Amino acid sequence: MPVRAPRICNCGHRVPFGVRCRCEQKQDSERKARFDQTRPNSSQRGYTGAWDKAKAAFLKRHPRCAICGGRAVLVDHKAPHKGNRELFWDKNNWQPLCTPCHSGAKQRQERRNLHEDQK
Ligand SMILES: [Zn+2]
Ligand SMILES: [Zn+2]
């Protein structure tokens, strides 16, 4: 059986046939880490339960929509938390909103800030 020639990886390394280059192994593990982050696990399910509880308590104390003053049904993060737990749990970053306002909250809030600046 002929021995297959080693290949040259994109990174410039000579890699024996059938073997992943070190740079490719690194990419593989990074990809796997990213996948693990997006996959829900038991701790994230618990996290959701805790959020539901915190949200309900927050809405009890702040029952009015921050924008229209209607009945608030959800808690919005003023600054997008993007998975950052500190920002996610920072109550200073929470605002009570009703559903219609939530969909247009960001745009409306920006407009309102603009308006207040002009006063
Ligand atoms: Zn490589
Ligand atoms: Zn509202």
Side-chain angles (χ1 to χ4, degrees):
M1 221 171 92
V3 178
R4 302 260 203 150
R7 67 196 171 85
I8 306 294
C9 172
N10 290 334
C11 73
H13 277 116
R14 261 165 81 89
V15 189
F17 175 77
V19 172
R20 302 285 281 166
C21 172
R22 201 176 297 173
C23 77
E24 290 170 326
Q25 286 174 12
K26 192 161 167 271
Q27 279 172 11
D28 286 350
S29 66
E30 278 168 4
R31 204 172 298 141
K32 187 181 178 298
R34 265 202 302 276
F35 178 73
D36 285 347
Q37 268 172 10
T38 57
R39 192 169 50 181
N41 58 37
S42 58
S43 82
Q44 276 168 330
R45 278 199 295 274
Y47 169 62
T48 308
W51 166 242
D52 282 344
K53 250 182 246 174
K55 191 169 70 175
F58 185 80
L59 288 175
K60 216 173 255 183
R61 265 176 292 138
H62 308 273
R64 298 268 162 230
C65 170
I67 294 170
C68 73
R71 198 171 76 87
V73 293
L74 47 88
V75 176
D76 181 53
H77 289 89
K78 292 186 230 173
H81 58 83
K82 292 181 182 145
N84 179 322
R85 289 204 167 200
E86 249 170 74
L87 204 55
F88 186 95
W89 291 109
D90 182 3
K91 289 192 175 67
N92 293 321
N93 190 34
W94 297 2
Q95 61 179 347
L97 290 184
C98 68
T99 315
C101 286
H102 182 248
S103 37
K106 296 301 168 205
Q107 296 90 315
R108 245 172 273 194
Q109 198 177 26
E110 271 157 32
R111 241 176 277 149
R112 191 175 58 170
N113 289 344
L114 210 67
H115 189 66
E116 278 170 7
D117 286 347
Q118 288 165 350
K119 266 189 227 164

